[in-house]
Amino acid sequence: MSASASPTFKMDPNWICFHPNPAKPRFLLPTGAVDAHCHVFGPGDVFPYAPERKYTPCDAGKEQLWALRDFLGFSRNVIVQATCHGADNRAMVDALLSSNGTARGVATVKHSVSERELDDLDAAGVRGVRFNFVKRLVDALPMDTLAEIARRIQRLNWHIVIYFEAQELPELYDFIAGLPGIVVVDHMGRPDVAKPVDGPEFQLFVRLLREQSNIWSKVTCPERLSKQGGPGYDDVVPFARRLVEQFPDRVLSGTDWPHPNMTAAAPDDGALVDFIPKIAVTSALQNKLLIDNPMRLYWPEAVRP
Ligand code: 0GY
């Protein structure tokens, strides 16, 4: 897999491209495993990056994503709209349409999105919208706009994916708890893993899931959260394992390829797959995390009798 900068978009000078040569995972993914959090970037000369973007990445298109899926042993992908494309979902939709039904998407939409546009996204395989509160990535939409979008997508049976950092949760708690339908939190709400897993910060997140049975969590991004770094990411294990064991039917796993905004080094995607059996320690938990849960959310037609 090779990385390239689009000729029309100059990637950020310190941008770290995805790993060109990941290791083959030692963990054999079960047949049908879903990579439930990944992105596509461009290519920028075909699908221009958004004028309001906060970063310009290297191109990382659908063919490279499919190659990684096959190399790692996944069967399906959930492509989450990346902030560098703003609310222009064309690169993600193009990937969905060329996936032979093996990819679903999570879109970013504006208040002005029409019912027709929502229907078209649905037909392409979009099954959710993403609300992003990470200030370095986006200027968040007003809460009442988000609440309105949340209400409008219910007719499509979509869910909400929400991205925030742990220090924002006290302020966002009531808003999140009041959202309708299924709400999936990115990257465990980004805990500070230097703090104790039983401490007040992570326990507030656990409480959110305990009190609200519609809230799920992605147990993703050890490469972002770890202070120790890879390939083991051992300091993240207790956090992810706690969620997998306490909420086995409401957790999702994913690579986060092509790993936007890494500051140290490109993570080895093989090592990220090898993180999975450390947080889901039985085959029953692995099957829920990798197959049953994402299939229920993204391909319910394939699991309904
Ligand atoms: C992630 C995390 C990040 C970026 C984005 O859409 C994005 O730009 O999601 C991040 O920088 O933390 O989920 O990929």
Side-chain angles (χ1 to χ4, degrees):
M1 281 168 288
S2 65
S4 70
S6 154
T8 44
F9 288 89
K10 208 164 156 6
M11 72 178 178
D12 292 341
N14 298 328
W15 189 262
I16 294 174
C17 284
F18 54 87
H19 201 295
N21 194 16
K24 195 81 180 163
R26 285 187 304 276
F27 176 58
L28 189 64
L29 286 163
T31 305
V34 181
D35 176 352
H37 187 94
C38 52
H39 310 283
V40 288
F41 297 155
D45 52 354
V46 183
F47 302 110
Y49 298 114
E52 73 273 22
R53 68 190 180 281
K54 308 279 190 199
Y55 62 83
T56 306
C58 64
D59 288 339
K62 62 186 177 191
E63 285 85 7
Q64 289 157 308
L65 179 59
W66 308 150
L68 182 77
R69 173 199 64 199
D70 295 344
F71 177 76
L72 296 176
F74 285 103
S75 301
R76 293 180 162 91
N77 297 89
V78 179
I79 305 177
V80 177
Q81 173 74 356
T83 57
C84 57
H85 281 294
D88 177 350
N89 294 286
R90 282 177 294 170
M92 183 265 290
V93 163
D94 173 71
L96 301 187
L97 293 175
S98 65
S99 74
N100 284 324
T102 65
R104 295 284 190 250
V106 174
T108 296
V109 299
K110 292 185 182 161
H111 190 238
S112 56
V113 68
S114 68
E115 296 303 308
R116 173 72 192 273
E117 286 166 329
L118 290 174
D119 287 340
D120 289 347
L121 288 168
D122 187 66
V126 169
R127 295 293 179 266
V129 288
R130 192 182 200 200
F131 294 170
N132 198 323
F133 292 97
V134 179
K135 294 184 179 72
R136 69 183 161 77
L137 292 173
V138 286
D139 302 318
L141 293 176
M143 296 297 204
D144 54 345
T145 299
L146 295 174
E148 164 90 8
I149 292 170
R151 187 189 58 71
R152 288 178 61 199
I153 61 165
Q154 296 307 308
R155 73 172 176 87
L156 294 161
N157 232 345
W158 286 8
H159 62 278
I160 295 161
V161 169
I162 193 161
Y163 191 21
F164 58 85
E165 296 181 325
Q167 70 272 16
E168 315 284 355
L169 181 56
E171 203 182 315
L172 290 172
Y173 193 97
D174 290 343
F175 172 76
I176 297 171
L179 286 169
I182 290 177
V183 177
V184 183
V185 179
D186 278 339
H187 317 331
M188 303 186 277
R190 289 202 60 136
D192 178 349
V193 301
K195 295 181 179 166
V197 72
D198 287 312
E201 184 182 272
F202 193 60
Q203 284 308 308
L204 184 65
F205 184 60
V206 171
R207 183 182 132 200
L208 181 68
L209 270 79
R210 207 176 49 236
E211 290 184 351
Q212 305 292 137
S213 59
N214 61 322
I215 299 195
W216 296 34
S217 178
K218 292 182 197 164
V219 286
T220 37
C221 276
E223 77 284 8
R224 261 176 221 296
L225 301 174
S226 179
K227 313 279 184 204
Q228 294 173 356
Y233 306 116
D234 288 338
D235 51 345
V236 187
V237 169
F239 293 81
R241 188 168 169 183
R242 178 68 61 90
L243 296 179
V244 167
E245 291 181 353
Q246 202 165 340
F247 308 103
D249 298 314
R250 292 189 268 145
V251 283
L252 298 173
S253 173
T255 58
D256 194 34
W257 186 90
H259 312 288
N261 301 306
M262 293 307 292
T263 51
D268 182 328
D269 297 281
L272 291 171
V273 171
D274 284 332
F275 179 73
I276 295 170
K278 301 206 283 188
I279 63 168
V281 300
T282 65
S283 57
L285 288 172
Q286 290 161 9
N287 284 340
K288 282 174 185 267
L289 176 66
L290 293 162
I291 304 172
D292 301 348
N293 299 344
M295 290 302 289
R296 229 164 61 239
L297 201 52
Y298 292 99
W299 284 271
E301 66 284 358
V303 289
R304 275 191 199 124

